[in-house]
Amino acid sequence: MYRVIVHVSARGKPLTHEFTKRTKDEARRYAEEVTKTGFWVEDYRRPTFMPPSRIRLVEVMPGSATRT
């Protein structure tokens, strides 16, 4: 398992979102895709789109994610 950690700029404080991928290649492809197209955050209120312009850093590392 690999973690894709996306750091997003937000009002007040930076946010991070973590996604789990099965293989290293899948994680790398997802990291590249996120920086080009953005991603959706599903929360208890409503889905929110994070555009590429708000993404500050994307990391790929081994291990399991704590949040998705």
Side-chain angles (χ1 to χ4, degrees):
M1 298 299 276
Y2 286 85
R3 292 188 297 167
V4 178
I5 304 169
V6 182
H7 300 267
V8 177
S9 64
R11 293 184 202 129
K13 64 176 185 168
L15 300 173
T16 60
H17 299 280
E18 296 183 18
F19 303 92
T20 304
K21 299 299 175 186
R22 290 181 188 236
T23 66
K24 189 174 186 177
D25 288 336
E26 188 179 333
R28 284 183 179 170
R29 281 193 302 273
Y30 186 73
E32 290 174 6
E33 179 184 326
V34 162
T35 60
K36 294 176 186 173
T37 62
F39 65 98
W40 286 91
V41 176
E42 302 283 336
D43 66 1
Y44 63 93
R45 287 183 240 145
R46 64 173 195 245
T48 304
F49 181 69
M50 293 294 173
S53 61
R54 292 191 50 198
I55 296 172
R56 296 295 172 232
L57 176 67
V58 178
E59 299 176 281
V60 175
M61 52 184 51
S64 61
T66 57
R67 308 178 282 227
T68 58

